Amino acid sequence: MPPGENVKGAVQPVAGSSGGIESLPDGVLQHILGFLPSPEAVRTCVLAQRWRHLWKAAPCLRVGCDLDQSESVEELRSLVNHLLLLRGGSPLEACYFTFYAGRRSHDDVSHVNLWFRHVVQMCKVRVLTLFMFLLGEPWLELDNLPVISQHLRSLKLIGVQVHNSLLNFSSCPALEHLELSCCELPPSVKEIVSESLKHIIVIASMCGWDSRIRIYTPNLVSLHLENFQGRTPILERMPSLLKASVEITIQCRDRCTNANYFWTCDNSGSTANGSINCVLLRGISEAKSLALRSASNMFIFKRDLRWGPMFTNLKTLLLNGYWYVPDDFHALARILERSPVLKKLTFEFCNKWCHKVEMKLCVSSMKRSAAISEHLEIVEIKCEVVDDRVLKVMKFLCAFNIF
């Protein structure tokens, strides 16, 4: 920039002053205000005449509490109503609502839904997070209405109840990221639909009790399902999938009461689209990286293997102890023989966060069994201690001339 010229929108520093923050353009100051909690950003209006309206165009709203400051919806009602009213339709890059649900008012539901729809439709928000600290309270119910936005790219919902219409994102062509944590998806929810979504995270959520939810997201790139309650969702084909992590815990209803009947145990429950053979594995079979964890008495993975999905792109595979129950390696053998280009195989013998021993074993280049990928290069073992289970898995692999 030539000497003597100023950045557009900047204010000339007063003679004899050093300039400082007052010399910055309005756009830069508004960007900075977006990092502040919204009540603090509003308070800057008393600094000087120039600051009076800057907060109204801050690109980010941060409303609510953290773990150290518990604020309910009722306590923040006046602030948020005036905040959104005075901002009008000023566009938002991001909005973060965080509320403490320990003191629920009967008007909370209507106010939260109003704020949610306002920032989506009036402010054209691109990144939206709604976080309710439940603390024993029922889920806050979001309206059973579709989300309509040409701008929304990321939606994160925590501690709320969502219905079928809201989870149909056909009218959100820019939406790429969806996260549902500690949410309830009641029986009325039949499907999650989006042709634009690229990333889905579902953690500790109630996903259908007697029927399975269908997930239709053909352009998904990454999927993370963990600790969901109720029935395992049905995954439709995801041809663009690169990475998926699925963890089925004891909260899932797809359990078999007798481990001797894993391969015939059905209990699949009703589905939104009638009978279906493969619930999970066929939908994620085109991924390049998979992490598949399950509690020992769940049947979905082993049941799905009966329908013969092939993992033709799979290069990295992580399996927990569910896949190699002592003296029963049928599930492990089946998934390995259906992974023809596998390069790295990881066995996780303990909780994923607490392994003390990690071994990386070099794979022999000698001719091995046709049941194992000829591209396999690394076998990794994570465990707390090298016990009998580890030795049995290694012995099983040695039978295929891997080492």
Side-chain angles (χ1 to χ4, degrees), residues 345-356:
L345 175 61
T346 300
F347 294 102
E348 191 177 74
F349 287 87
C350 57
N351 185 288
K352 58 186 175 183
W353 307 115
C354 65
H355 67 274
K356 299 177 180 178

Side-chain angles (χ1 to χ4, degrees), residues 83-255:
L83 189 67
L84 296 180
L85 178 65
L86 293 172
R87 279 186 55 91
S90 182
L92 279 172
E93 179 64 29
C95 180
Y96 304 95
F97 289 125
T98 308
F99 302 118
Y100 174 75
R103 299 180 296 278
R104 181 77 63 81
S105 165
H106 69 281
D107 291 329
D108 287 358
V109 174
S110 59
H111 278 83
V112 171
N113 276 284
L114 179 64
W115 301 336
F116 181 90
R117 298 289 167 173
H118 181 92
V119 297
V120 170
Q121 297 171 4
M122 296 293 293
C123 301
K124 301 178 176 59
V125 68
R126 296 178 182 273
V127 177
L128 175 57
T129 295
L130 174 57
F131 190 166
M132 296 293 301
F133 286 116
L134 291 173
L135 298 179
E137 289 288 318
W139 287 279
L140 186 141
E141 182 179 2
L142 294 182
D143 290 339
N144 188 20
L145 297 171
V147 180
I148 301 174
S149 173
Q150 300 293 314
H151 308 275
L152 187 64
R153 294 199 315 257
S154 175
L155 178 61
K156 184 175 182 179
L157 301 175
I158 305 172
V160 296
Q161 183 187 82
V162 291
H163 291 280
N164 201 60
S165 293
L166 190 143
L167 293 173
N168 186 332
F169 297 106
S170 302
S171 299
C172 296
L175 186 65
E176 294 188 351
H177 182 98
L178 174 66
E179 179 173 343
L180 302 173
S181 295
C182 300
C183 290
E184 182 189 26
L185 283 64
S188 62
V189 175
K190 304 301 181 185
E191 58 188 6
I192 299 174
V193 176
S194 171
E195 296 205 4
S196 62
L197 273 173
K198 297 186 182 301
H199 310 280
I200 291 182
I201 299 173
V202 181
I203 301 176
S205 293
M206 177 74 74
C207 300
W209 193 246
D210 293 317
S211 62
R212 302 190 189 282
I213 294 171
R214 169 179 167 262
I215 298 180
Y216 175 73
T217 50
N219 293 303
L220 207 67
V221 173
S222 71
L223 172 70
H224 185 97
L225 300 178
E226 179 182 342
N227 194 28
F228 49 84
Q229 303 174 41
R231 296 292 189 188
T232 307
I234 298 168
L235 303 183
E236 299 287 354
R237 183 168 173 256
M238 301 173 181
S240 302
L241 193 65
L242 297 178
K243 182 178 181 180
S245 174
V246 180
E247 182 170 356
I248 304 175
T249 66
I250 58 173
Q251 304 296 328
C252 179
R253 292 196 68 197
D254 293 319
R255 65 174 63 90

Side-chain angles (χ1 to χ4, degrees), residues 314-317 336 339-347 361-366 368-369 371-380 397 400-403:
L314 188 61
K315 295 184 178 180
T316 303
L317 175 63
L336 290 181
S339 306
V341 297
L342 188 65
K343 289 188 174 182
K344 181 181 179 182
L345 175 61
T346 300
F347 294 102
L361 309 175
C362 294
V363 175
S364 171
S365 59
M366 296 174 58
R368 66 189 67 144
S369 167
I372 299 292
S373 167
E374 62 178 334
H375 304 279
L376 188 62
E377 299 173 352
I378 299 174
V379 174
E380 186 176 52
L397 294 176
F400 296 94
N401 295 325
I402 289 181
F403 304 121

